[in-house]
Amino acid sequence: MEFFPLVLIIFASVFQGSFGLGMKYMAPLKWEAWWLVHVTIAMIILPLAWAYIAVPNLSEVLNTSFSDPSMQSVVFMAMFFGFLWGIGGILFGISVPYIGLSLTMGIVMGLAGSIGALVPLLQMENATSSPQFPYVIAGLAITLIGVGITAKAGIDKDKLKTESTNEKSNILKGILIATACGVLSALLNVGFVKATPIAKLAEEMGAIDRNASLAAWVIVLIGAFIMNAGYCFFLLFKNNTWSSFNVAGTSKAYKWAILASIFWFGALGVYGQGAALIGPIGGVIGWPMLLGLSLIVSNFWAYRAGEWTEAKKPFNLLLIGLFVLILASVILGYSNSII
């Protein structure tokens, strides 16, 4: 793999692993109010703003994508997978209070990275006969092993916590929610790969290859936004929490919502550029690398936040899991050099 695309994916992983920090600072906003602010900025404002700056004739690209009968099926599928991912995004927000940021990120990132790479790989022509195939499969398998180890570390940590505080454990419920989230979250990358013709169209209209991916993200994230915003509005009406937007002391929560949005779409935008530079297999190799490496970043923040305090043995197990994930990323990176 060339060095620059690798740097972009590592850089994106720092953003991806850091955005969850904002969820620790929602109060006094209600979840649905904070999340609506976050997704509006992350899925609509930032993608459009960046794409308008970096993609010439973006309006024409979008108009053609929606109006050209040959492109409409591409748009529909990209938005559909984005919509399904949106369900996973909501489940992510639900699972963190149950099992903490470390374990949630471990399960979600591992499953999303593996499935999100495997589906596009198997849809490629002659994928199984490619010399890269065994390395990619090995990398994905090792990724799942790393996720399993980190999940075990989280379970052990939770046991220590419940034994010392006599609190009721929600570990099983949280793991089930996070697992469903991981499977659905994989579909964001599937949608991105499905939207490749939109990126190609942007290239034909003057965008450089790595920036053309931003046009694809705009389409995918429209579907994601519809799901997320729709659920937020449902909760705002159901719980009658509209007043949450005006509660005193919300400035810090708004700042974190904005910062989390920048981190979240910054990760996707930079990842898209790195994947584009890798080539046709970029969405297969880059995605699990992004999520595997971001898991290391998220656990660094979780450690700083005290999630692993007085849990030395589980933390040592976590470190083993993170090492395995780094090994998986190295193998996936090496696979792109195989001809």
Side-chain angles (χ1 to χ4, degrees):
M1 179 186 292
E2 293 181 8
F3 185 65
F4 185 56
L6 177 60
V7 170
L8 288 177
I9 291 174
I10 292 173
F11 188 59
S13 71
V14 174
F15 279 168
Q16 180 69 25
S18 300
F19 94 90
L21 275 174
M23 299 177 67
K24 292 181 172 290
Y25 303 99
M26 291 183 176
L29 285 177
K30 295 296 184 182
W31 181 90
E32 53 266 33
W34 190 94
W35 198 254
L36 182 60
V37 174
H38 167 63
V39 299
T40 301
I41 297 171
M43 299 179 188
I44 298 296
I45 295 174
L46 289 180
L48 279 173
W50 192 354
Y52 268 115
I53 292 171
V55 179
N57 304 310
L58 178 65
S59 297
E60 187 177 350
V61 172
L62 297 179
N63 287 337
T64 301
S65 299
F66 280 97
S67 61
D68 188 338
S70 65
M71 292 289 290
Q72 286 174 350
S73 61
V74 172
V75 170
F76 173 79
M77 291 304 295
M79 291 176 61
F80 176 68
F81 282 114
F83 183 88
L84 292 178
W85 170 86
I87 300 173
I90 291 167
L91 293 178
F92 180 90
I94 295 172
S95 63
V96 170
Y98 283 122
I99 57 177
L101 182 60
S102 295
L103 185 51
T104 300
M105 292 289 280
I107 295 171
V108 172
M109 295 306 179
L111 290 175
S114 300
I115 298 172
L118 192 58
V119 173
L121 174 65
L122 295 178
Q123 291 179 338
M124 293 175 66
E125 188 175 354
N126 300 320
T128 56
S129 60
S130 166
Q132 298 166 319
F133 183 78
Y135 292 92
V136 173
I137 293 299
L140 295 179
I142 294 172
T143 297
L144 288 175
I145 293 171
V147 170
I149 295 172
T150 58
K152 179 63 167 61
I155 292 170
D156 291 349
K157 180 197 71 171
D158 183 77
K159 286 181 179 178
L160 290 175
K161 179 182 176 182
T162 53
E163 287 172 0
S164 61
T165 61
N166 292 321
E167 293 180 2
K168 181 181 178 181
S169 174
N170 289 307
I171 189 73
L172 181 59
K173 184 176 182 179
I175 287 176
L176 290 175
I177 294 172
T179 299
C181 173
V183 173
L184 290 169
S185 295
L187 301 180
L188 187 65
N189 191 53
V190 176
F192 176 67
V193 174
K194 291 286 186 184
T196 298
I198 299 170
K200 295 295 183 184
L201 179 63
E203 280 190 62
E204 293 170 5
M205 293 186 177
I208 61 176
D209 54 359
R210 69 174 186 270
N211 286 338
S213 63
L214 294 168
W217 278 128
V218 169
I219 300 295
V220 176
L221 293 179
I222 289 174
F225 176 77
I226 291 171
M227 176 62 224
N228 279 268
Y231 183 67
C232 289
F233 280 118
F234 168 75
L235 289 181
L236 286 165
F237 281 109
K238 177 178 179 290
N239 300 328
N240 193 25
T241 47
W242 292 95
S243 60
S244 172
F245 288 106
N246 297 318
V247 172
T250 56
S251 59
K252 183 177 180 180
Y254 281 122
K255 289 176 183 177
W256 274 103
I258 294 170
L259 189 60
S261 301
I262 294 171
F263 284 163
W264 187 83
F265 185 69
L268 293 186
V270 175
Y271 154 73
Q273 294 189 328
L277 290 174
I278 290 172
I281 204 171
V284 174
I285 294 173
W287 183 252
M289 287 183 64
L290 166 72
L291 299 189
L293 293 173
S294 70
L295 193 55
I296 297 170
V297 178
S298 68
N299 275 290
F300 168 77
W301 292 120
Y303 177 79
R304 289 287 302 272
E307 284 195 15
W308 295 91
T309 302
E310 298 180 0
K312 184 176 180 181
K313 287 184 68 176
F315 181 71
N316 289 337
L317 185 60
L318 173 71
L319 292 179
I320 295 173
L322 297 182
F323 174 79
V324 173
L325 288 170
I326 293 173
L327 176 62
S329 295
V330 171
I331 293 173
L332 289 166
Y334 175 73
S335 70
N336 194 51
S337 66
I338 304 298
I339 300 176

